[in-house]
Amino acid sequence: MTEHNLTLNDSGIHDSEVERIFGDSGLLSASIQGYRSRQAQIEMAQAIAQAIAGQKTLLAEAGTGTGKTFAYLIPALLWGGKVIVSTGTKNLQDQLYLRDIPTIKKVLKAPVSVALLKGRANYLCHFHLERTLQNGRLTTREDVGYLRDISRFIKTTSSGDKAELARVPESASVWSLVTSTKDNCMGSECQYYQDCFVMKARKEAQQADVVVVNHHLFFADLALKDTGIAELLPSANTVIFDEAHQLPETATLFFGDTISTSQILELCRDALAEGLSHARDGAEWAKIVAPVERAARDLRLSFPQDSIRLSLQQIAPSSEFFPNLETLKDSLGDLIQVLEKQAERAETIEQCRVRAIDLQDQLDNWKELAPDSKEAKGKPECVLWVEAYSVSLQLHRTPLSIAPIFNKQREGVPRTWIFASATMAVKNDFSHYVSQMGLWDEPARTWPSPFNYQEQGVLYVPEGMPQPNSREYTDAVVDAALPVIEAAGGRTFLLCTTNKAVKHCAERLKDEFTQRGLDFPLFVQGDAGRTELLDRFRAAGNGVLIGSQSFWEGVDVRGEALSLVVIDKLPFAPPDDPVLAARIEAMEKKGLNGFVHHQLPEAIINLKQGAGRLIRDETDRGVLMICDPRLISKPYGKRIWQSLPAFARTRELAVVLKFFANLAQTRSSASE
């Protein structure tokens, strides 16, 4: 094929090429069974081809069913030069690499090389596996079995990617002992450097035409320079973000700083092990490490609550937190002195010394960069806050806006930047996303979904619901949903805005199903990994799945297994979130309304994601049930439902029950 040699200045050639590939009797129709040409997909592919030709930026919002993956991949493979594709999740990353890109390469006969690059925690480390096998520090029988599986796997794998070893769950604690972190990687000093899977993956990415990464990796690298993107970006001609609506949150995570008591406890564990192995006579290692461990635990215990998020200003001046933080710094200083004396005895002790100094610097810097301190002048505005989990405490420094930092990354060499998602705009208005990412004056386009929502679905807002902040609200959601779940024959996603609601709904539904003799299998987030729960839900055919945030997006269940999506509340961010509070305060200083300009558009984009789980295909039919009465009672409610797909709308249960009765009839006559 000669597509690759087309000159990039003639968008007319691109337009006709795109038609030739995507049109009714085009290459895709001829090669892929069941492929149907869609006008919106053709237009999107043409717009992306033009952006690539002119090395421009494009924001592309395409409704569910447009086929956006092929619309950006085909122009990228043909004309994009060196391409980085960044996705929202590792699952989607694997799908692009294992399924979508190979399909397109075959159809186009395109001789492009493709590499998959993940964060270093996804690759087995020869050095750490070897050390764990020797130390035998495993506490459970299960971990011993997993370790046996891993040591067999390392002999046969060519990539070292832990996703290939499905037998060991991703959440197994043994993984942290057999993978490396930026802190404990030996780099070129390592005896296994030649065989290193991380280095191998980076080398392949350097040489490939197309590299598939995920957002976490992309931004971790821009911030930490540790994942290989720093070397890739200068040579890239085209950068494509799929699921681009996730970028503001992901970038915020990485352009800030976080230090955790778990990192300090890990350092203590390693310093003790290495000290005893290589310098047993050099110090009383257990006595040196114990005060640091105690100080890290005391810092966590400054807050008795099980989980908490507080900004620095919200911590009482009399709190134990401040003296405990000083004690931790002092005891860490004592450990550093010992590590400095013993560092030359072993490379691994030297490495602990470097880590300890880095942690001490982070602890010192955290407080010094309080917004009102002189060190903070001239740096991006940040909010300092703490987050406590059951056994660890994290100190965060988070930028109020990532726009200036991200724009700095985009300066320099001209290249194409494509931002693609089904949900970036609020009723075709991109201004919220644009201001978050700093993409002012860049072209933005929307292509609606090809689905006939009016006929395929119903939006149902039940009457008589209490206020969402009332104590009986979650029970009222279950009461309102039960007759609808029964009419749908199970086949339900119940999406909640909090983990507490997930738990409560699960307990209630379990009891109700037993009492009513309803045989609907119940799948609850947390009982198994997301992929496993979804597989079991699909296989059941009449299941009810209850989940929170991780099921609102990136989940694709087509066909009859899913006919009802129930959303308990409008997904407004919790008002006690310290970063949100600081952002709203900053906006209000500029005369903007924090609710209208930030909280509302965020909630709408999130709700569009949740609603998008229902209709995934031309033949899907179903009901979207939003229980929150504010959708009707509040002035902003109209703005919300106008941003949702154009379903038929009702407040009457009878209409919904009739919809499901008709649907059941259609299905049974189709199967006769």
Side-chain angles (χ1 to χ4, degrees):
M1 285 179 78
T2 55
E3 280 84 11
H4 308 344
N5 307 322
L6 290 173
T7 52
L8 286 182
N9 54 11
D10 188 347
S11 64
I13 296 182
H14 285 120
D15 285 357
S16 56
E17 267 304 299
V18 167
E19 284 278 2
R20 198 175 74 73
I21 295 165
F22 288 90
D24 281 334
S25 50
L27 267 180
L28 292 173
S29 296
S31 320
I32 298 173
Q33 202 180 353
Y35 175 82
R36 275 201 289 282
S37 177
R38 284 157 283 193
Q39 189 54 35
Q41 188 183 37
I42 292 174
E43 287 176 19
M44 183 177 171
Q46 287 171 334
I48 287 170
Q50 284 166 22
I52 288 172
Q55 294 191 310
K56 297 280 194 289
T57 294
L58 175 69
L59 283 72
E61 182 184 76
T64 313
T66 310
K68 69 176 186 309
T69 311
F70 279 25
Y72 68 69
L73 279 179
I74 287 174
L77 263 61
L78 291 178
W79 306 299
K82 172 100 179 178
V83 181
I84 298 175
V85 181
S86 182
T87 70
T89 59
K90 281 188 285 197
N91 286 354
L92 187 56
Q93 203 183 346
D94 286 334
Q95 181 191 313
L96 282 174
Y97 179 71
L98 299 170
R99 201 176 73 197
D100 297 338
I101 296 177
T103 302
I104 291 171
K105 270 181 69 172
K106 201 170 152 194
V107 169
L108 299 177
K109 300 186 176 61
V112 293
S113 54
V114 187
L116 180 68
L117 187 60
K118 295 182 179 178
R120 64 161 69 242
N122 292 280
Y123 299 100
L124 272 179
C125 167
H126 292 83
F127 174 77
H128 287 287
L129 174 61
E130 185 64 31
R131 210 172 67 155
T132 303
L133 287 166
Q134 283 169 0
N135 288 350
R137 281 193 304 206
L138 298 177
T139 47
T140 70
R141 225 152 103 201
E142 198 175 36
D143 277 348
V144 173
Y146 289 154
L147 189 63
R148 206 174 300 122
D149 289 336
I150 291 168
S151 47
R152 276 195 215 107
F153 171 68
I154 202 165
K155 295 186 179 84
T156 56
T157 175
S158 61
S159 72
D161 182 347
K162 68 183 194 186
E164 289 174 18
L165 185 59
R167 204 177 319 129
V168 180
E170 201 176 335
S171 55
S173 57
V174 70
W175 283 123
S176 67
L177 299 173
V178 296
T179 52
S180 70
T181 64
K182 184 189 180 199
D183 292 336
N184 66 21
C185 168
M186 308 281 285
S188 53
E189 302 291 314
C190 179
Q191 69 209 70
Y192 297 105
Y193 188 70
Q194 295 306 317
D195 305 317
C196 174
F197 292 122
V198 173
M199 288 303 141
K200 195 173 156 196
R202 288 182 186 178
K203 206 165 171 182
E204 282 172 10
Q206 285 285 309
Q207 292 161 356
D209 301 311
V210 178
V211 186
V212 184
V213 301
N214 61 54
H215 302 338
H216 272 245
L217 184 69
F218 191 93
F219 286 104
D221 188 66
L222 291 183
L224 310 171
K225 304 279 178 284
D226 178 49
T227 54
I229 308 269
E231 299 122 50
L232 284 178
L233 199 55
S235 60
N237 309 95
T238 304
V239 179
I240 298 171
F241 295 107
D242 195 349
E243 305 286 359
H245 62 278
Q246 294 177 6
L247 294 184
E249 198 176 319
T250 309
T252 300
L253 199 67
F254 287 107
F255 288 149
D257 286 310
T258 295
I259 176 169
S260 164
T261 54
S262 326
Q263 287 170 282
I264 291 164
L265 292 172
E266 271 167 31
L267 167 73
C268 290
R269 184 190 74 190
D270 292 348
L272 180 63
E274 299 311 326
L276 292 174
S277 297
H278 304 289
R280 186 176 281 272
D281 57 342
E284 291 192 64
W285 290 99
K287 275 192 180 165
I288 295 293
V289 161
V292 188
E293 290 182 325
R294 192 165 51 246
R297 293 200 172 99
D298 286 347
L299 188 67
R300 164 62 192 92
L301 295 172
S302 315
F303 305 101
Q305 299 89 330
D306 213 20
S307 67
I308 189 171
R309 301 167 71 134
L310 292 172
S311 67
L312 186 60
Q313 290 84 343
Q314 289 174 307
I315 302 173
S318 59
S319 165
E320 287 293 296
F321 170 76
F322 297 106
N324 287 349
L325 184 59
E326 293 311 313
T327 307
L328 177 58
K329 288 183 196 175
D330 293 343
S331 58
L332 194 55
D334 296 342
L335 173 62
I336 289 169
Q337 283 182 344
V338 174
L339 289 169
E340 279 178 339
K341 288 198 185 94
Q342 305 298 326
E344 65 210 23
R345 311 252 319 245
E347 180 58 44
T348 47
I349 298 179
E350 162 61 13
Q351 204 183 29
C352 288
R353 182 191 73 86
V354 172
R355 276 164 69 187
I357 290 172
D358 187 44
L359 288 169
Q360 193 177 46
D361 288 347
Q362 282 182 272
L363 285 174
D364 287 340
N365 289 341
W366 182 73
K367 188 93 182 323
E368 279 172 14
L369 284 170
D372 48 2
S373 70
K374 50 180 194 296
E375 284 83 356
K377 299 287 175 273
K379 295 205 160 119
E381 253 192 291
C382 287
V383 54
L384 298 184
W385 56 290
V386 300
E387 186 169 21
Y389 296 95
S390 52
V391 292
S392 70
L393 183 78
Q394 293 187 340
L395 310 181
H396 299 280
R397 186 170 77 245
T398 304
L400 283 186
S401 168
I402 58 152
I405 316 172
F406 184 56
N407 269 334
K408 212 167 170 178
Q409 304 292 348
R410 292 177 63 236
E411 282 167 6
V413 187
R415 62 172 64 93
T416 305
W417 297 83
I418 305 290
F419 298 82
S421 168
T423 57
M424 279 189 288
V426 174
K427 234 184 94 185
N428 296 342
D429 174 2
F430 285 83
S431 53
H432 174 62
Y433 187 79
V434 162
S435 64
Q436 282 182 303
M437 295 298 292
L439 298 169
W440 295 282
D441 305 323
E442 299 293 10
R445 295 194 53 189
T446 300
W447 290 275
S449 165
F451 300 152
N452 183 345
Y453 285 112
Q454 192 69 29
E455 296 208 343
Q456 286 180 250
V458 173
L459 168 61
Y460 169 46
V461 183
E463 295 199 81
M465 289 295 289
Q467 283 309 304
N469 57 1
S470 62
R471 286 183 63 172
E472 69 274 16
Y473 186 76
T474 305
D475 281 316
V477 168
V478 175
D479 294 340
L482 266 165
V484 190
I485 294 172
E486 197 169 343
R491 304 186 172 113
T492 301
F493 268 11
L494 171 48
L495 301 178
C496 302
T497 48
T498 63
N499 291 327
K500 194 175 161 193
V502 168
K503 236 168 137 174
H504 188 75
C505 290
E507 285 162 11
R508 273 286 317 270
L509 284 179
K510 200 174 168 189
D511 293 346
E512 294 285 352
F513 288 176
T514 310
Q515 282 170 26
R516 296 168 186 233
L518 296 173
D519 190 18
F520 303 142
L522 204 54
F523 303 99
V524 184
Q525 180 176 330
D527 286 357
R530 182 168 99 151
T531 312
E532 191 187 328
L533 277 181
L534 283 168
D535 288 344
R536 282 161 43 190
F537 175 83
R538 285 189 194 97
N542 65 339
V544 174
L545 186 148
I546 309 174
S548 68
Q549 197 54 53
S550 64
F551 286 90
W552 282 64
E553 56 179 284
V555 173
D556 191 13
V557 178
R558 291 163 193 241
E560 294 181 16
L562 180 61
S563 304
L564 170 64
V565 171
V566 182
I567 290 178
D568 71 338
K569 281 184 194 178
L570 298 176
F572 288 110
D576 61 350
D577 182 298
V579 180
L580 176 68
R583 281 189 173 147
I584 288 172
E585 193 185 332
M587 291 179 94
E588 295 188 340
K589 277 183 191 159
K590 293 177 187 158
L592 295 168
N593 178 314
F595 180 77
V596 171
H597 293 105
H598 188 80
Q599 285 165 286
L600 184 60
E602 283 285 285
I604 290 174
I605 286 168
N606 214 336
L607 187 67
K608 280 169 75 173
Q609 278 293 334
R613 296 316 99 214
L614 182 63
I615 305 293
R616 307 295 301 166
D617 183 301
E618 288 90 343
T619 57
D620 280 355
R621 315 266 320 263
V623 169
L624 171 64
M625 175 176 176
I626 301 177
C627 301
D628 197 322
R630 292 174 294 183
L631 198 59
I632 307 296
S633 64
K634 296 287 185 192
Y636 58 76
K638 187 175 181 186
R639 187 162 169 77
I640 297 177
W641 58 250
Q642 284 178 337
S643 296
L644 291 172
F647 294 117
R649 295 197 305 274
T650 187
R651 303 210 64 193
E652 292 174 37
L653 178 61
V655 172
V656 175
L657 300 181
K658 188 166 183 236
F659 176 89
F660 280 122
N662 292 343
L663 188 55
Q665 213 171 354
T666 313
R667 281 173 179 164
S668 72
S669 25
S671 63
E672 278 167 15

Short mmCIF file of all heavy atoms in Angstrom, two decimals, residues 340-377:
data_model
loop_
_atom_site.label_atom_id
_atom_site.label_comp_id
_atom_site.label_asym_id
_atom_site.label_seq_id
_atom_site.Cartn_x
_atom_site.Cartn_y
_atom_site.Cartn_z
N GLU A 340 25.04 6.21 56.41
CA GLU A 340 26.20 6.86 55.76
C GLU A 340 27.50 6.17 56.16
O GLU A 340 28.40 5.99 55.35
CB GLU A 340 26.23 8.36 56.11
CG GLU A 340 25.26 9.11 55.21
CD GLU A 340 25.15 10.59 55.49
OE1 GLU A 340 25.49 11.03 56.61
OE2 GLU A 340 24.67 11.31 54.59
N LYS A 341 27.58 5.77 57.44
CA LYS A 341 28.82 5.10 57.91
C LYS A 341 29.00 3.73 57.27
O LYS A 341 30.11 3.27 57.06
CB LYS A 341 28.76 4.94 59.44
CG LYS A 341 28.94 6.26 60.19
CD LYS A 341 29.32 5.99 61.65
CE LYS A 341 29.41 7.26 62.47
NZ LYS A 341 28.16 7.58 63.17
N GLN A 342 27.87 3.05 56.98
CA GLN A 342 27.95 1.66 56.51
C GLN A 342 27.76 1.52 54.99
O GLN A 342 27.83 0.41 54.47
CB GLN A 342 26.89 0.81 57.22
CG GLN A 342 26.95 0.86 58.74
CD GLN A 342 28.27 0.32 59.28
OE1 GLN A 342 28.87 -0.61 58.71
NE2 GLN A 342 28.77 0.92 60.35
N ALA A 343 27.52 2.65 54.30
CA ALA A 343 27.10 2.58 52.89
C ALA A 343 28.10 1.85 51.99
O ALA A 343 27.71 1.14 51.06
CB ALA A 343 26.85 3.98 52.35
N GLU A 344 29.40 2.01 52.30
CA GLU A 344 30.37 1.39 51.38
C GLU A 344 30.44 -0.13 51.52
O GLU A 344 31.07 -0.80 50.71
CB GLU A 344 31.75 2.02 51.58
CG GLU A 344 32.31 1.73 52.94
CD GLU A 344 33.25 2.86 53.41
OE1 GLU A 344 33.11 3.99 52.90
OE2 GLU A 344 34.09 2.59 54.26
N ARG A 345 29.77 -0.67 52.54
CA ARG A 345 29.83 -2.12 52.74
C ARG A 345 28.99 -2.88 51.72
O ARG A 345 29.23 -4.05 51.47
CB ARG A 345 29.37 -2.50 54.16
CG ARG A 345 30.02 -1.69 55.25
CD ARG A 345 31.03 -2.40 56.10
NE ARG A 345 30.82 -3.73 56.56
CZ ARG A 345 30.67 -4.05 57.83
NH1 ARG A 345 30.62 -3.12 58.78
NH2 ARG A 345 30.56 -5.31 58.19
N ALA A 346 27.96 -2.23 51.16
CA ALA A 346 27.14 -2.92 50.14
C ALA A 346 26.35 -1.89 49.34
O ALA A 346 25.89 -0.87 49.87
CB ALA A 346 26.17 -3.89 50.80
N GLU A 347 26.20 -2.20 48.06
CA GLU A 347 25.43 -1.33 47.15
C GLU A 347 24.00 -1.13 47.67
O GLU A 347 23.42 -0.06 47.58
CB GLU A 347 25.42 -2.00 45.77
CG GLU A 347 24.66 -1.25 44.69
CD GLU A 347 25.17 0.16 44.45
OE1 GLU A 347 26.40 0.35 44.38
OE2 GLU A 347 24.34 1.06 44.34
N THR A 348 23.42 -2.21 48.27
CA THR A 348 22.03 -2.12 48.72
C THR A 348 21.89 -1.21 49.94
O THR A 348 20.85 -0.57 50.13
CB THR A 348 21.48 -3.53 49.06
OG1 THR A 348 22.43 -4.20 49.87
CG2 THR A 348 21.20 -4.32 47.80
N ILE A 349 22.95 -1.12 50.77
CA ILE A 349 22.89 -0.19 51.92
C ILE A 349 23.01 1.25 51.41
O ILE A 349 22.31 2.15 51.86
CB ILE A 349 24.00 -0.50 52.96
CG1 ILE A 349 23.80 -1.92 53.53
CG2 ILE A 349 23.99 0.53 54.09
CD1 ILE A 349 24.85 -2.35 54.56
N GLU A 350 23.88 1.44 50.43
CA GLU A 350 24.01 2.77 49.80
C GLU A 350 22.65 3.21 49.23
O GLU A 350 22.24 4.37 49.36
CB GLU A 350 25.08 2.71 48.70
CG GLU A 350 25.05 3.84 47.68
CD GLU A 350 25.27 5.22 48.28
OE1 GLU A 350 25.70 5.36 49.44
OE2 GLU A 350 24.99 6.20 47.56
N GLN A 351 21.96 2.25 48.66
CA GLN A 351 20.65 2.57 48.07
C GLN A 351 19.64 2.98 49.15
O GLN A 351 18.87 3.92 48.96
CB GLN A 351 20.14 1.32 47.35
CG GLN A 351 19.16 1.65 46.28
CD GLN A 351 18.66 0.37 45.67
OE1 GLN A 351 18.61 -0.66 46.32
NE2 GLN A 351 18.29 0.45 44.44
N CYS A 352 19.68 2.31 50.29
CA CYS A 352 18.80 2.69 51.42
C CYS A 352 19.15 4.11 51.89
O CYS A 352 18.27 4.89 52.24
CB CYS A 352 18.96 1.71 52.59
SG CYS A 352 18.20 0.10 52.25
N ARG A 353 20.44 4.44 51.89
CA ARG A 353 20.87 5.78 52.30
C ARG A 353 20.27 6.85 51.38
O ARG A 353 19.71 7.85 51.84
CB ARG A 353 22.41 5.87 52.28
CG ARG A 353 22.97 7.22 52.74
CD ARG A 353 24.45 7.34 52.43
NE ARG A 353 24.71 7.54 51.02
CZ ARG A 353 24.71 8.74 50.41
NH1 ARG A 353 24.47 9.83 51.10
NH2 ARG A 353 24.95 8.83 49.11
N VAL A 354 20.35 6.59 50.07
CA VAL A 354 19.82 7.56 49.09
C VAL A 354 18.31 7.73 49.28
O VAL A 354 17.78 8.84 49.26
CB VAL A 354 20.15 7.08 47.64
CG1 VAL A 354 19.44 7.94 46.61
CG2 VAL A 354 21.66 7.09 47.42
N ARG A 355 17.63 6.60 49.49
CA ARG A 355 16.16 6.66 49.70
C ARG A 355 15.82 7.45 50.95
O ARG A 355 14.89 8.27 50.96
CB ARG A 355 15.59 5.24 49.85
CG ARG A 355 15.31 4.54 48.55
CD ARG A 355 15.13 3.06 48.77
NE ARG A 355 13.91 2.72 49.50
CZ ARG A 355 13.62 1.50 49.92
NH1 ARG A 355 14.47 0.51 49.69
NH2 ARG A 355 12.50 1.24 50.55
N ALA A 356 16.58 7.21 52.03
CA ALA A 356 16.30 7.87 53.30
C ALA A 356 16.47 9.39 53.17
O ALA A 356 15.64 10.17 53.66
CB ALA A 356 17.21 7.32 54.39
N ILE A 357 17.52 9.81 52.46
CA ILE A 357 17.76 11.26 52.28
C ILE A 357 16.64 11.87 51.45
O ILE A 357 16.13 12.96 51.74
CB ILE A 357 19.15 11.50 51.63
CG1 ILE A 357 20.24 11.14 52.64
CG2 ILE A 357 19.29 12.93 51.14
CD1 ILE A 357 21.65 11.15 52.09
N ASP A 358 16.21 11.12 50.42
CA ASP A 358 15.13 11.61 49.56
C ASP A 358 13.84 11.79 50.38
O ASP A 358 13.15 12.80 50.26
CB ASP A 358 14.92 10.60 48.42
CG ASP A 358 13.93 11.12 47.40
OD1 ASP A 358 14.02 12.31 47.04
OD2 ASP A 358 13.04 10.35 46.97
N LEU A 359 13.53 10.81 51.24
CA LEU A 359 12.32 10.90 52.07
C LEU A 359 12.42 12.07 53.05
O LEU A 359 11.45 12.80 53.28
CB LEU A 359 12.09 9.59 52.83
CG LEU A 359 11.61 8.40 51.98
CD1 LEU A 359 11.68 7.10 52.77
CD2 LEU A 359 10.18 8.61 51.48
N GLN A 360 13.62 12.26 53.60
CA GLN A 360 13.79 13.37 54.54
C GLN A 360 13.60 14.72 53.83
O GLN A 360 12.94 15.62 54.35
CB GLN A 360 15.17 13.31 55.19
CG GLN A 360 15.25 14.25 56.41
CD GLN A 360 16.58 14.16 57.10
OE1 GLN A 360 17.63 14.17 56.45
NE2 GLN A 360 16.57 14.06 58.42
N ASP A 361 14.15 14.82 52.61
CA ASP A 361 13.96 16.06 51.83
C ASP A 361 12.49 16.32 51.58
O ASP A 361 12.01 17.45 51.69
CB ASP A 361 14.69 15.97 50.48
CG ASP A 361 16.21 16.05 50.65
OD1 ASP A 361 16.65 16.41 51.77
OD2 ASP A 361 16.93 15.72 49.69
N GLN A 362 11.75 15.26 51.21
CA GLN A 362 10.32 15.42 50.93
C GLN A 362 9.56 15.89 52.17
O GLN A 362 8.69 16.74 52.08
CB GLN A 362 9.72 14.11 50.43
CG GLN A 362 10.03 13.82 48.97
CD GLN A 362 9.34 12.53 48.54
OE1 GLN A 362 9.87 11.44 48.68
NE2 GLN A 362 8.14 12.64 48.03
N LEU A 363 9.92 15.31 53.33
CA LEU A 363 9.27 15.72 54.58
C LEU A 363 9.57 17.19 54.89
O LEU A 363 8.70 17.96 55.29
CB LEU A 363 9.72 14.85 55.75
CG LEU A 363 9.15 13.43 55.82
CD1 LEU A 363 9.82 12.64 56.94
CD2 LEU A 363 7.64 13.44 56.03
N ASP A 364 10.83 17.60 54.68
CA ASP A 364 11.21 19.00 54.93
C ASP A 364 10.47 19.94 53.99
O ASP A 364 9.95 20.97 54.39
CB ASP A 364 12.73 19.19 54.73
CG ASP A 364 13.52 18.57 55.88
OD1 ASP A 364 12.92 18.35 56.95
OD2 ASP A 364 14.71 18.30 55.70
N ASN A 365 10.44 19.55 52.71
CA ASN A 365 9.84 20.43 51.69
C ASN A 365 8.33 20.57 51.84
O ASN A 365 7.77 21.59 51.51
CB ASN A 365 10.11 19.90 50.27
CG ASN A 365 11.55 20.07 49.90
OD1 ASN A 365 12.24 20.87 50.52
ND2 ASN A 365 12.04 19.31 48.94
N TRP A 366 7.70 19.49 52.33
CA TRP A 366 6.22 19.50 52.35
C TRP A 366 5.71 20.72 53.10
O TRP A 366 4.93 21.50 52.60
CB TRP A 366 5.70 18.21 52.99
CG TRP A 366 4.21 18.14 52.99
CD1 TRP A 366 3.41 17.92 51.90
CD2 TRP A 366 3.32 18.34 54.09
NE1 TRP A 366 2.08 17.95 52.27
CE2 TRP A 366 1.99 18.22 53.61
CE3 TRP A 366 3.50 18.62 55.44
CZ2 TRP A 366 0.87 18.34 54.43
CZ3 TRP A 366 2.38 18.74 56.26
CH2 TRP A 366 1.09 18.61 55.76
N LYS A 367 6.20 20.89 54.33
CA LYS A 367 5.68 21.97 55.16
C LYS A 367 6.21 23.32 54.69
O LYS A 367 5.54 24.34 54.76
CB LYS A 367 6.09 21.68 56.61
CG LYS A 367 5.48 22.60 57.62
CD LYS A 367 4.19 22.02 58.19
CE LYS A 367 3.51 22.94 59.17
NZ LYS A 367 4.37 23.69 60.02
N GLU A 368 7.47 23.34 54.20
CA GLU A 368 8.06 24.62 53.78
C GLU A 368 7.31 25.22 52.61
O GLU A 368 7.34 26.41 52.37
CB GLU A 368 9.52 24.42 53.38
CG GLU A 368 10.44 24.38 54.60
CD GLU A 368 11.84 23.98 54.23
OE1 GLU A 368 12.16 24.00 53.03
OE2 GLU A 368 12.62 23.64 55.14
N LEU A 369 6.64 24.34 51.81
CA LEU A 369 5.94 24.86 50.63
C LEU A 369 4.48 25.16 50.92
O LEU A 369 3.65 25.12 50.03
CB LEU A 369 6.09 23.89 49.46
CG LEU A 369 7.49 23.96 48.83
CD1 LEU A 369 7.70 22.83 47.86
CD2 LEU A 369 7.72 25.28 48.13
N ALA A 370 4.16 25.44 52.18
CA ALA A 370 2.80 25.89 52.49
C ALA A 370 2.54 27.15 51.67
O ALA A 370 3.46 27.95 51.45
CB ALA A 370 2.69 26.19 53.98
N PRO A 371 1.27 27.34 51.17
CA PRO A 371 0.98 28.44 50.25
C PRO A 371 1.46 29.80 50.73
O PRO A 371 1.83 30.65 49.93
CB PRO A 371 -0.55 28.40 50.13
CG PRO A 371 -0.92 27.00 50.48
CD PRO A 371 0.10 26.51 51.45
N ASP A 372 1.50 30.01 52.07
CA ASP A 372 1.87 31.36 52.54
C ASP A 372 3.36 31.48 52.87
O ASP A 372 3.82 32.49 53.36
CB ASP A 372 1.02 31.73 53.77
CG ASP A 372 1.01 30.58 54.79
OD1 ASP A 372 1.70 29.57 54.53
OD2 ASP A 372 0.33 30.71 55.82
N SER A 373 4.15 30.41 52.60
CA SER A 373 5.57 30.47 52.93
C SER A 373 6.35 31.15 51.81
O SER A 373 5.92 31.16 50.66
CB SER A 373 6.13 29.06 53.15
OG SER A 373 6.18 28.38 51.93
N LYS A 374 7.54 31.70 52.16
CA LYS A 374 8.29 32.42 51.11
C LYS A 374 8.84 31.47 50.04
O LYS A 374 9.03 31.85 48.90
CB LYS A 374 9.37 33.33 51.70
CG LYS A 374 10.32 32.71 52.72
CD LYS A 374 11.30 33.80 53.17
CE LYS A 374 12.49 33.23 53.92
NZ LYS A 374 12.10 32.59 55.19
N GLU A 375 9.08 30.18 50.41
CA GLU A 375 9.58 29.21 49.41
C GLU A 375 8.55 28.95 48.31
O GLU A 375 8.88 28.51 47.22
CB GLU A 375 9.91 27.87 50.07
CG GLU A 375 11.19 27.84 50.87
CD GLU A 375 11.00 28.40 52.27
OE1 GLU A 375 9.88 28.87 52.57
OE2 GLU A 375 11.97 28.39 53.04
N ALA A 376 7.26 29.19 48.63
CA ALA A 376 6.21 28.87 47.66
C ALA A 376 6.04 29.96 46.61
O ALA A 376 5.40 29.74 45.58
CB ALA A 376 4.89 28.66 48.39
N LYS A 377 6.62 31.13 46.86
CA LYS A 377 6.44 32.23 45.90
C LYS A 377 7.03 31.83 44.54
O LYS A 377 8.11 31.26 44.46
CB LYS A 377 7.15 33.51 46.40
CG LYS A 377 6.59 34.03 47.72
CD LYS A 377 5.23 34.68 47.57
CE LYS A 377 4.63 35.10 48.88
NZ LYS A 377 3.86 34.07 49.59
#
